[in-house]
Structure formats: structure tokens, C-alpha cells
């Protein structure tokens, strides 16, 4: 690390007011520095990995309850509290309460948080510091005078929540109402801004760290342009498309902004670069550590959590007093966010038990996560499960390393976006650094076919009940044992019933065979340790997949994408599916609003209601013109995945 602490920390006990991978990440640095760690947890997280990793743990009713969290810090004798990101990390009331209790917040003061944590007040600071800002409109201006498109966004918080792109005055009232509801739910504040929307831009951000002695340092920049609906998907450092003059200019702007408010701690100055003009604008400042901080750590050789603890304890930063100019990066790093969501099915949040979990490893690979095999993922918290980061001597080396790492990431029992991430990183557009902030909103990636995954499912299913180990001999029980499911017999060929019958010949290790006439040879099967990895040569090409064979299903994770195959006879008498007019809950969540009543005429696409999951809203619309014949949705009620909420009978069926 290029900048390290020169004196021992005065902190003896650190409480982390967060959960999941960021809590674990902070604990790692604290433990290395000899600081006692304390976790907080709700009942839902009582046995979570971050609770087990800490030296001590305290139960709280909610991660958002300021009084409870401060009381927990006082009760365990914490000298300091690290807020992580999300939850209370940018709440000035939390900073004030800790100060009143005599506990140090690892972050800026409440006053600075008020100024910079809110987008509206931060704009004023940016203007005073000479940093350009995005042109904006007052909320009470005449919408007919706006130059559309505009962006309606929450003044508080971040993470893409409470944002709506509006392309006409007619769309503005509904967009404002939805953004305000989402902002109130996520941040407890429904204040909104209206700004010019840049159709094709690059999202750049500068990592700054300031101390209490007037020094502010810029640790280079990150490019976070690969995002969907303002939610970041891939992040990288350094930014691949800007020249050195722009790099130096945005660093100077970030330092000027942080210096203007006397910023102490780690923070991120977010900027928007307009591709059409080459101009950049200040967007907001995140007064905390960012999700994507690992890419900066890898290319700049720093531990940002250590620096946070250092300046929070009054320590000085090395470097010039003005802090101008970024430090020199070493190589390139790219981060991919792994979410519990069905990226090829409308990006709907997912919940359930993660049966098998495999994270990648190897030179240049870093994984920050808090998901392990057997863990239950709930919709109560953010859907991010972990981050896979690759570092290489140049961007293409890092991209190739990330591709391999995502191919080695597997979760069964639960659908994740890993296959989507892998396809995105493999795309020509990402390879060429041609993706702007709205690219994913304009383009769809083609979902992978199940054909090759079906080969793995069929071969492994046949192998699971075959008595032969390798070319011959008996075999003891193994991870693919099919929980009592047996095929017609071990002789080849056999027919495996998946989503359709598949013929398998010679399901033995090292023996060439076929699966539906495709030439297949099993090279390796991971039977000796958990992992369920199968390596097949498919038409001469070696392929790896994680396979989980169970009594009624076979799951295959290939290139990060989860495929589930169900035997038709298992579900043949499970009852009819919902009718075409049934509008069901696309994920577990809460009904926010019901807009229709029984007997009401509706048109195709008309809004029937709104539900929320993971602090994001989802519109429920009519499938076609007709009459609402059933309303099961109740505002405020929690609903399960697949629960019927509305029934619409088509006009020609009434």
C-alpha cells in the first residue's frame, strides 16, 4: 500500500453498522490492525456470515434505527462506528447522534454530510467551488418550458433509487409521484430535483480522501458508465476513454469540491461527461465508501478502509497540501456486481435458498461476498450478493481475467445475473469501451440457449445412477447421487427425462459417448470435495459446468448462467397454470398501490397497481383490453412470488 498509517490507531473497538459483504470487508482490515470488531444484526441475520466473523455481535430491530444502533455502540464500548454504504451511512442524524454519545463516526461530520449528502445542497457547493453542474429546473417551473428529456431524481441517497427519465410534460406527474414514493421508502426523504438528461454520457467518479489537517488527495477516477436504469453493473479504473488533460481536470475539480467543505474521510465525487460536447458536470458526492472501491484499491495500491480509520482518528495523509493530481495507477481493474435477479427475465429480484455457491479465485482475482452454500436470500435487503473483481496489467488482460472468473462463479437454487455479466463483459461493445450510461437501456443481450447445458444435465443424470466409476468398477456415493431417482437401468443407451427426453450413451468417465447424437467425453467429475463440477469435451471443445442433480430437477450453471431442467412427469398433475388474464406477483414483495376495482374496463398496458421489492417499484399492467374480474391485491400487504393480484377477462371473452 502506497499510503499507510504511521502511528497505531487509538481505536480499540469498532462497530460496523452494516451487514453482508461490506461488513466483512471492514472487519478484515480492522482485524489486520488489531482492532476488536462488533457486528449488528436483525433476527433475519442472526446466523449470517458477518455476524460469525465479528468478535462480538449485538441484535437490533432494524439496521435503519438510529437510536438502536447508537445504543448498541455505547453498550459494547465501541470507540468508533464504520457505517459501510447504504443504511445509515449518509444520514446526518446518525452522525449527530454518535457525536452526542461520544463515539467517532468513520466518515464526515453531520454538517458536511448534510451539505454533500444531498444533491440539491451539493450543487450549491459545487457552484461555489467553480465546478460545473448539470442544468436544472425548479419543481414549480412550468413543465411545458422544459427541454425534454429531463431526469427526475431524489435529492437524498443514491444507488439509482428515486430516479425517472421523463420525455414529455405529460409523463412528468406520474414520474414525480413514483420517484417521490421510491425516495421516501429508500431514504426517508421525498425531495426531488429535475435536471437535463444527457442521452449519451459517461459516468465518471473521483475517489477522494481528506484529513482533518486540510489535505485532500485524489486516488484517480473510475468509469461506471455500464449501468442499467441508473444502477451500476460494471465499474473499472482507470477510465478507459478520457485523455490525460480530462483526467487531471476532473481530479482538480473533485479536490476543489472536497476542500471547499473541509471534507474528512473517504468520499466519491460523481461526474457526468457528455459524449456530444466533451463537457463534464458535477452530479453528486457520496459521503461514504463506494461499492466499487476495490477497483481503486487494486490499481492505486491503497486500503481505503485503513485510510478511513486513519483520518477518523486524526491522522495525517501523505502528499501535497493542495492534493492536486491523481496518483499514478498500476494496471487496470474491473468489477462486476453479482445480484440475485433474473437478468434475462426482466431483471426481477430473486429470493430463496442458495444450495451450492462457488466463487472464483486465482491470480488477479478478488471476490468480496457474503453468500455461502445453504444460505437463504431474502427480498428484505439489497439484492447484491457479492462483487467479482479482476486486476491485470492492462484493460484487456483484466477483461479476460474477469471473463474467466465469471465463468467460474456458480449459484444453484437461486437465479443470479452472473450469466448476464459474463455475456456483457464478452461483448464487443464493452471490449471496445463503447458503452455509455444509457446503452443497456437501449440494447438487450440475447439470453443463452439451454442446448449445451442440457447435455451436461443429461450426461450427469445418467452418470449419477451408473455403477461404473471411470472405465469400470463400483463407486461409493457421490455428490451427484440423485436422492432416490433412478433411470430404467445403467445400460447404455438410456433415456433421461428432462424438459424433453434426451438419449445418453456411455455416461462414464473417460469413455467417449454421445448425448442426443452430440459427441461427448467426460474429462473430470468433482466427486472428492463439494463443488459439483463436471468437465466435458463437447465436439472436441472442453467445457466446465457446475451440476446439481436432485430427485425432481437438474440444475446446470454454465458460463455463469443457471439452467433448471424439470422432469415432465413430476409436474404433470400439479394443477393448471394461471390463466392468460392473471396478473401475478413477479417476485416476493409488498403491494404499494391498487389503481383499479372489479368491473372496471381497462386497456392493454394500463396500470393496475404497483408493488415494491428490495426498495424498487414494479408496475403491474393489464395484459390486454378487457374487464377487471378479480382484485386480490391489497395495498400494504406482502405477497409471495406467483400470487395472483388481478384477473382481467378479455373483451371478447366477457
Amino acid at each position: 500500500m502506497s499510503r499507510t498509517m504511521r502511528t497505531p490507531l487509538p481505536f480499540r473497538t469498532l462497530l460496523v453498522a452494516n451487514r453482508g459483504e461490506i461488513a466483512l470487508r471492514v472487519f478484515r482490515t480492522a482485524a489486520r490492525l488489531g482492532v476488536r470488531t462488533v457486528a449488528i444484526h436483525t433476527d433475519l441475520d442472526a446466523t449470517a456470515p458477518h455476524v460469525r466473523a465479528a468478535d462480538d455481535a449485538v441484535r437490533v430491530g432494524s439496521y435503519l434505527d438510529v437510536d438502536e444502533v447508537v445504543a448498541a455502540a455505547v453498550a459494547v464500548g465501541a470507540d468508533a462506528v464504520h457505517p459501510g454504504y447504504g443504511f445509515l451511512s449518509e444520514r446526518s442524524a446518525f452522525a449527530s447522534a454518535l457525536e452526542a454519545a461520544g463515539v467517532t463516526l468513520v466518515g464526515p461530520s453531520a454538517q458536511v454530510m448534510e451539505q454533500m449528502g444531498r444533491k440539491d445542497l451539493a450543487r450549491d457547493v459545487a457552484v461555489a467551488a467553480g465546478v460545473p453542474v448539470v442544468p436544472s429546473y425548479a419543481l414549480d417551473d412550468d413543465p411545458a418550458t422544459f427541454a425534454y428529456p429531463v431526469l427526475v431524481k431524489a435529492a437524498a441517497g443514491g444507488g439509482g433509487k428515486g430516479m425517472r427519465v421523463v420525455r414529455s410534460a405529460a409523463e412528468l406527474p406520474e414520474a414525480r409521484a413514483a420517484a417521490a414514493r421510491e425516495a421516501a421508502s429508500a431514504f426517508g426523504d421525498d425531495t426531488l430535483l429535475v435536471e437535463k438528461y444527457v442521452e449519451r454520457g459517461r459516468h465518471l467518479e473521483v475517489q477522494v480522501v481528506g484529513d482533518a489537517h486540510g489535505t485532500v488527495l485524489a486516488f484517480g477516477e473510475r468509469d461506471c458508465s455500464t449501468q442499467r436504469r441508473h444502477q451500476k453493473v460494471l465499474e473499472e479504473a482507470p477510465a478507459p476513454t478520457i485523455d490525460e488533460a480530462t483526467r487531471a481536470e476532473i481530479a482538480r475539480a473533485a479536490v476543489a469540491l472536497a476542500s471547499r467543505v473541509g471534507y474528512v474521510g473517504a468520499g466519491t465525487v460523481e461526474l457526468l461527461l457528455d459524449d456530444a460536447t466533451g463537457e463534464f458536470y458535477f452530479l453528486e458526492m457520496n459521503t461514504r465508501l463506494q461499492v466499487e472501491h476495490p477497483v481503486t484499491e487494486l490499481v492505486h495500491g491503497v486500503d481505503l478502509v485503513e485510510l478511513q480509520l486513519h483520518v477518523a482518528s486524526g491522522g495525517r495523509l501523505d502528499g501535497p497540501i493542495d492534493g492536486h493530481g491523481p496518483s499514478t495507477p498500476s494496471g487496470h481493474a474491473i468489477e462486476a456486481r453479482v445480484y440475485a435477479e433474473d437478468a434475462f427475465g426482466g431483471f426481477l429480484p430473486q429470493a430463496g435458498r442458495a444450495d451450492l455457491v462457488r466463487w472464483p479465485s486465482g491470480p488477479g482475482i478478488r471476490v468480496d461476498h457474503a453468500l455461502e452454500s445453504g444460505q437463504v436470500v431474502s427480498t428484505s435487503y439489497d439484492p447484491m450478493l457479492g462483487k467479482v473483481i479482476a486486476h491485470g496489467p492492462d484493460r484487456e488482460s483484466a477483461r479476460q481475467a474477469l471473463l474467466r472468473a465469471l465463468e467460474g462463479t456458480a449459484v444453484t437454487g437461486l437465479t443470479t445475473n452472473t450469466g448476464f455479466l459474463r455475456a456483457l463483459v464478452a461483448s464487443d461493445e464493452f471490449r471496445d469501451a463503447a458503452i455509455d450510461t444509457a446503452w443497456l437501456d437501449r440494447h438487450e443481450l440475447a439470453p443463452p440457449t439451454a442446448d449445451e447445458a442440457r447435455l451436461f444435465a443429461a450426461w450427469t443424470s445418467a452418470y449419477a445412477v451408473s455403477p461404473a466409476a471411470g472405465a469400470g468398477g463400483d463407486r461409493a456415493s457421490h455428490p451427484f447421487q440423485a436422492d432416490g431417482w433412478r433411470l430404467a437401468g445403467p445400460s447404455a443407451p438410456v433415456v433421461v427425462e428432462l424438459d424433453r427426453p434426451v438419449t445418453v450413451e456411455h455416461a462414464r468417465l473417460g469413455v467417449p459417448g454421445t448425448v442426443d447424437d452430440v459427441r461427448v467425453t467426460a474429462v473430470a467429475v468433482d466427486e472428492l470435495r463439494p463443488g459439483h463440477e463436471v468437465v466435458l469435451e463437447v465436439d472436441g471443445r472442453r467445457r466446465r459446468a457446475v451440476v446439481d442433480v436432485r430427485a425432481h430437477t437438474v440444475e446446470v450453471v454454465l458460463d455463469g448462467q443457471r439452467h433448471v431442467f424439470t422432469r415432465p412427469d413430476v409436474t404433470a398433475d400439479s394443477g393448471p397454470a394461471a390463466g392468460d388474464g392473471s396478473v401475478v406477483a413477479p417476485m416476493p414483495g409488498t403491494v404499494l398501490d391498487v389503481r383499479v376495482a372489479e368491473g372496471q374496463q381497462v386497456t392493454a398496458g394500463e396500470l393496475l397497481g404497483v408493488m415494491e421489492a428490495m426498495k424498487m417499484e414494479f408496475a403491474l399492467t393489464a395484459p390486454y383490453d378487457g374487464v377487471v374480474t378479480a382484485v386480490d391485491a391489497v395495498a400494504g400487504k406482502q405477497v409471495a412470488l406467483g400470487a395472483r393480484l388481478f384477473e382481467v377477462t378479455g373483451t371478447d371473452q366477457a
Side-chain angles (χ1 to χ4, degrees), residues 1-7 208-219 255 301-302 306-307 310-311 314-327:
M1 192 178 77
S2 62
R3 293 170 174 85
T4 58
M5 297 185 300
R6 301 183 183 280
T7 56
V208 296
V209 181
D211 66 21
H213 309 282
T215 298
V216 176
L217 298 178
F219 290 87
V255 169
V302 295
E306 182 175 352
L307 289 180
H310 178 52
V311 298
R316 292 179 178 271
L317 292 168
D318 295 335
I321 195 66
D322 59 6
H324 285 175
S327 54

Side-chain angles (χ1 to χ4, degrees), residues 482-483 485 497-498 549-554 564-571:
D483 300 334
W485 171 29
E497 295 288 342
L498 297 173
V549 178
R550 295 180 178 268
H552 306 307
T553 61
V554 183
V564 181
F565 300 96
T566 304
R567 290 196 299 151
D569 59 315
V570 175
T571 58

Side-chain angles (χ1 to χ4, degrees), residues 236-238 240 299 329-334 390-402:
E236 55 185 310
V299 300
S330 175
H332 201 94
I334 310 173
H391 181 230
D394 52 52
R395 186 175 187 270
E396 182 59 16
S397 298
R399 189 182 74 91
Q400 292 292 340
L402 183 58

Side-chain angles (χ1 to χ4, degrees), residues 130-156:
V131 179
V133 298
V134 181
S136 66
Y137 302 94
L139 287 172
D140 56 359
D141 286 347
D142 181 359
T145 65
F146 295 175
Y148 292 92
V150 297
L151 180 67
V152 176
K153 67 180 185 179

Side-chain angles (χ1 to χ4, degrees), residues 98-224:
L98 285 172
E99 183 179 0
V103 181
T104 299
L105 173 69
V106 182
S109 67
Q111 180 183 4
V112 169
M113 200 176 290
E114 271 289 338
Q115 284 184 284
M116 304 310 295
R118 288 185 56 90
K119 299 179 183 69
D120 48 0
L121 299 180
R123 282 177 59 94
D124 297 336
V125 176
V127 171
V131 179
V133 298
V134 181
S136 66
Y137 302 94
L139 287 172
D140 56 359
D141 286 347
D142 181 359
T145 65
F146 295 175
Y148 292 92
V150 297
L151 180 67
V152 176
K153 67 180 185 179
K161 297 180 176 66
M163 285 190 179
R164 294 292 187 278
V165 176
V166 182
R167 300 190 177 278
S168 70
E171 297 177 8
L172 189 61
E174 182 65 35
R176 283 184 58 175
R181 283 195 306 270
E182 203 167 274
S185 174
F187 315 121
D189 187 334
D190 63 0
T191 306
L192 300 175
L193 298 175
V194 181
E195 294 179 342
K196 167 188 174 182
Y197 178 63
V198 176
E199 290 277 11
R200 295 175 185 263
R202 302 201 71 84
H203 186 125
L204 306 178
E205 56 187 39
V206 179
Q207 176 69 62
V208 296
V209 181
D211 66 21
H213 309 282
T215 298
V216 176
L217 298 178
F219 290 87
E221 81 290 333
R222 301 182 285 256
D223 188 313
C224 307

Side-chain angles (χ1 to χ4, degrees), residues 8 36 104 141 143 186 225 240 353 358 380 428 450 475 511 606 609 631:
R36 175 173 171 261
T104 299
D141 286 347
S225 302
R353 183 179 185 271
R358 287 175 65 102
S380 299
D428 292 346
R475 180 174 77 247
V511 176
E606 183 174 338
V631 177

